[in-house]
Amino acid sequence: MTSPVQLIRPRRFGDARGWFTETYNRDAFAAIGIDCAFVQDNHSLSVPAFTLRGLHFQTPPAGQDKLVRCIRGRIFDVAVDLRRGSPTYGQWVGAELSAENGDQLFIPIGFAHGFVTLEPDCEVTYKCSGLYAPANDGGIAWDSVGIDWPIPAGVTPELSEKDKVQPALSDFDSPFDYDGRPLAPLA
């Protein structure tokens, strides 16, 4: 049984010109247990270093699986288990995603997603399995989960007004159900 959150390392084929990689292939992803149809692509630019976006999700029936990658710069990307009844509820996993390493993080429905930029001018793209639904837009406070964010001491992350007022995890009543797959460390 695979972990619901997966770190994906697409293979790069390089030569004197640079490299080529396949970032998504429906059949290859289905073979590793990721069997969703993506319907929306998002792209963000964060100019200041230590911009923090998250922790976000969409509630049922408009949940979104996400496939996240950093195409410029470096980010620390996280997923937090929000599935009620899960033995790993409230736990998180994270990985550095960068333009250089090409790694991607798959975050299924039932998990909050967020990231912090580790340098200026970071661009992040992600595929979503559901369309944006403002009535189902949700979040929890970035500092209420115990995430070990790689933010230097004394630095306050750049936050949106929305992210400054998200509820703490302890005040969150989850609408997500546990599917029998506990969160596992990223490989």
Side-chain angles (χ1 to χ4, degrees):
M1 183 182 308
T2 60
S3 177
V5 177
Q6 294 187 49
L7 182 62
I8 298 161
R9 294 189 162 109
R11 190 169 165 208
R12 288 185 173 174
F13 302 91
D15 60 25
R17 299 168 298 164
W19 53 261
F20 169 85
T21 190
E22 186 175 82
T23 59
Y24 175 74
N25 176 302
R26 182 192 63 214
D27 294 343
F29 274 59
I32 61 171
I34 300 172
D35 195 15
C36 60
F38 293 111
V39 298
Q40 178 177 312
D41 284 357
N42 297 333
H43 187 154
S44 70
L45 167 66
S46 299
V47 176
F50 306 110
T51 295
L52 196 145
R53 295 178 184 262
L55 299 160
H56 303 147
F57 53 85
Q58 281 193 181
T59 59
Q64 293 178 316
D65 300 297
K66 296 177 183 175
L67 179 61
V68 182
R69 68 189 183 116
C70 181
I71 61 170
R72 182 167 62 153
R74 296 181 309 123
I75 65 169
F76 184 68
D77 202 41
V78 301
V80 179
D81 190 348
L82 298 179
R83 301 166 301 158
R84 65 177 167 235
S86 170
T88 53
Y89 181 85
Q91 294 180 25
W92 63 276
V93 292
E96 184 175 305
L97 307 181
S98 69
E100 184 176 321
N101 70 22
D103 291 351
Q104 300 178 89
L105 197 60
F106 176 74
I107 303 161
I109 295 168
F111 288 79
H113 169 248
F115 64 87
V116 65
T117 62
L118 303 177
E119 56 190 61
D121 300 318
C122 290
E123 290 187 64
V124 174
T125 64
Y126 53 101
K127 302 180 98 44
C128 298
S129 67
L131 299 174
Y132 176 65
N136 298 86
D137 189 27
I140 56 172
W142 67 277
D143 58 353
S144 69
V145 180
I147 295 169
D148 188 16
W149 296 102
I151 300 171
V155 172
T156 302
E158 295 286 332
L159 299 169
S160 70
E161 292 306 310
K162 175 177 118 174
D163 288 342
K164 289 178 183 177
V165 297
Q166 295 288 10
L169 177 63
S170 60
D171 297 328
F172 177 64
D173 183 19
S174 181
F176 301 107
D177 292 320
Y178 179 55
D179 63 2
R181 297 180 307 154
L183 182 63
L186 297 174

